[in-house]
């Protein structure tokens, strides 16, 4: 199993500002994933964070809005840029276990943009 | 493409059974089931791999029919603690999908005394 620490757990931010969310894993993993869960909705994959290369973004998500860093095999950050109230969501990072099966999630960052 | 989950919601009395279904239009490698309580992150329940297996977690079990690309989650003799929103997450067989979960819309389960 993998233990994932995500910071901050919650934040209230002013529109137009940016927030960087950190995700730390207790073991080395090849790929890390970032998801967004808008209020009352399901989880949507934002991007795959690859170590040593640029992140791969899903349709509807762009690097300018959600820049991602992956400096090593245990750490990644997601920045939510130029925030608007529509960005109010829970953001979760996830990793896949070494067997390539179970996906583990951090506790999430609850973001409110005012 | 998002898997289709049904029903949207179900209300049960304690001790009753329920079935939640998840179907995909894509060939699947695995189906994951999660339960989320309000204000919390999703909690992993079980994973079913290609091969049509069944699994259980206490009185919650699941099956995966790979021919139909469908999975079902069975809540047996439901307990109050089973309340929450259940999500299926699927990993498809395409080469660029490894590790990426596509989640269904969720099924809200309310268990009443």
């Amino acid at each position: 199993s993998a233990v994932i620490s995500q910071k901050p757990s919650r934040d209230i931010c002013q529109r137009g500002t940016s927030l960087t969310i950190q995700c730390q894993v207790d073991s080395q993993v090849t790929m890390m994933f970032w998801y967004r869960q808008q209020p009352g909705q399901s989880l949507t994959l934002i991007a795959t964070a690859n170590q040593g290369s640029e992140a791969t973004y899903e349709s509807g998500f762009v690097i300018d809005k959600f820049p991602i860093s992956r400096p090593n095999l245990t750490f990644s950050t997601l920045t939510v840029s130029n925030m608007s109230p529509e960005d109010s969501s829970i953001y979760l990072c996830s990793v896949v276990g070494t067997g390539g099966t179970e996906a583990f999630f951090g506790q999430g960052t609850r973001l409110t943009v005012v | 493409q998002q898997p289709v989950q049904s029903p949207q919601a179900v209300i049960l009395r304690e001790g009753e059974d329920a079935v939640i279904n998840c179907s995909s239009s894509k060939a699947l490698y695995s189906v994951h089931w999660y339960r989320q309580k309000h204000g919390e992150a999703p909690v992993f329940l079980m994973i079913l791999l290609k091969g049509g297996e069944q699994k259980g977690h206490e009185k919650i079990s699941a099956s995966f029919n790979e021919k139909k690309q469908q999975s079902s989650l069975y809540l047996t003799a439901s307990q109050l603690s089973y309340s929450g929103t259940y999500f299926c997450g699927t990993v498809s067989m395409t080469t660029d999908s490894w590790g990426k979960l596509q989640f269904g819309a969720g099924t809200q389960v309310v268990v009443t005394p």
Side-chain angles (χ1 to χ4, degrees), chain A residues 44-100:
Chain A
T44 301
L45 181 64
I46 298 172
T48 303
N50 307 304
Q51 197 269 333
S53 63
E54 277 200 1
T56 308
Y57 290 83
E58 299 298 307
S59 176
F61 298 96
V62 294
I63 187 171
D64 290 346
K65 176 66 176 176
F66 297 102
I68 287 171
S69 78
R70 183 81 197 274
N72 57 54
L73 291 174
T74 63
F75 187 79
S76 177
T77 66
L78 170 77
T79 299
V80 186
S81 303
N82 188 25
M83 289 184 284
S84 67
E86 291 71 35
D87 294 320
S88 297
S89 299
I90 299 174
Y91 292 85
L92 300 112
C93 69
S94 172
V95 303
V96 174
T98 51

Side-chain angles (χ1 to χ4, degrees), chain A residues 28-40:
Chain A
Q28 293 185 338
V29 293
T30 305
M31 288 196 281
M32 297 174 74
F33 304 92
W34 287 97
Y35 291 84
R36 179 178 73 180
Q37 186 175 30
Q38 294 177 300

